[in-house]
Amino acid sequence: MLSALKQVSRPVGELVPLDRVKAHLRVDGPDEDGLIGGYLLAAVGLAENHTRRCFLPRSMLLSLFGHLPTTGIDLPTAPVQAVDSVVFEAADGEETVIPAASYRSILDGDMALVLPVSRWGWPDASRAGRVKVAFTAGYASADDVPGDIIAAVLLLVGHLYAHREGVIVGAVASDLPLGVSALLAPHVFKG
């Protein structure tokens, strides 16, 4: 089954305050705030992509193309705070909102499942179309994000700040700095 995951809203909150990032970089004054803020956004995005997690709360939409799965829907990111809605859109464009009483959400750490209460509560599984699951993903607040993720983001910002060019003459090309990979490794979502 083909699927697509889309961020619907921007994250709520600030993962690492700019003043903490500037202290980490040992930068005084506001002259490079825009540059450092851009590096912070890039570092957070890279860390989220690497771990397949959402760090701060935001609305997400999972679209599954094909038939409504009768065995349930596995959400492809973590952590998930809530399933907001499940909608089946038939090939002809007709939408059916699945009543919340017809499914249950199992949200437990890295596990996020939407299961039918009974197979009769879901639209006809033989009809092709698109299933749209709207949900809220991310830790409740920046305070709930594990410290090693924050440390990895700070290391990435420091790396981007120190190496501002795409190519560094006389250096060997490498992947993520080793410390960043080690800090993020326990948090890679395997769902």
Side-chain angles (χ1 to χ4, degrees):
M1 177 174 284
L2 292 174
S3 66
L5 182 63
K6 178 174 107 174
Q7 179 176 300
V8 176
S9 68
R10 296 178 132 276
V12 176
E14 182 179 52
L15 185 63
V16 185
L18 185 61
D19 60 342
R20 182 172 174 191
V21 176
K22 288 171 63 174
H24 173 77
L25 298 174
R26 296 185 179 101
V27 171
D28 295 323
D31 294 347
E32 296 189 10
D33 285 3
L35 177 70
I36 294 168
Y39 290 153
L40 177 58
L41 286 174
V44 170
L46 194 150
E48 285 185 332
N49 287 336
H50 183 76
T51 60
R52 296 180 53 218
R53 291 182 179 277
C54 294
F55 300 151
L56 293 173
R58 77 218 41 198
S59 297
M60 302 291 288
L61 180 66
L62 173 65
S63 293
L64 302 170
F65 302 90
H67 301 280
L68 185 63
T70 57
T71 57
I73 300 166
D74 196 3
L75 300 179
T77 190
V80 174
Q81 293 182 21
V83 174
D84 304 316
S85 67
V86 179
V87 176
F88 178 72
E89 181 183 338
D92 63 7
E94 177 189 339
E95 286 192 347
T96 304
V97 176
I98 311 293
S102 297
Y103 62 87
R104 67 186 187 112
S105 305
I106 299 175
L107 310 175
D108 185 17
D110 281 357
M111 183 172 57
L113 301 169
V114 179
L115 301 172
V117 171
S118 79
R119 64 186 178 131
W120 294 280
W122 294 60
D124 182 3
S126 66
R127 293 175 62 198
R130 174 169 71 149
V131 180
K132 299 183 286 188
V133 182
F135 62 98
T136 303
Y139 295 92
S141 72
D143 293 336
D144 297 319
V145 176
D148 43 357
I149 289 175
I150 302 296
V153 167
L154 289 171
L155 285 174
L156 277 169
V157 172
H159 178 76
L160 293 169
Y161 185 77
H163 306 284
R164 298 177 188 206
E165 303 302 323
V167 176
I168 303 168
V169 177
V172 177
S174 64
D175 291 330
L176 284 177
L178 179 60
V180 173
S181 296
L183 288 165
L184 293 177
H187 303 286
V188 173
F189 177 65
K190 295 169 181 65

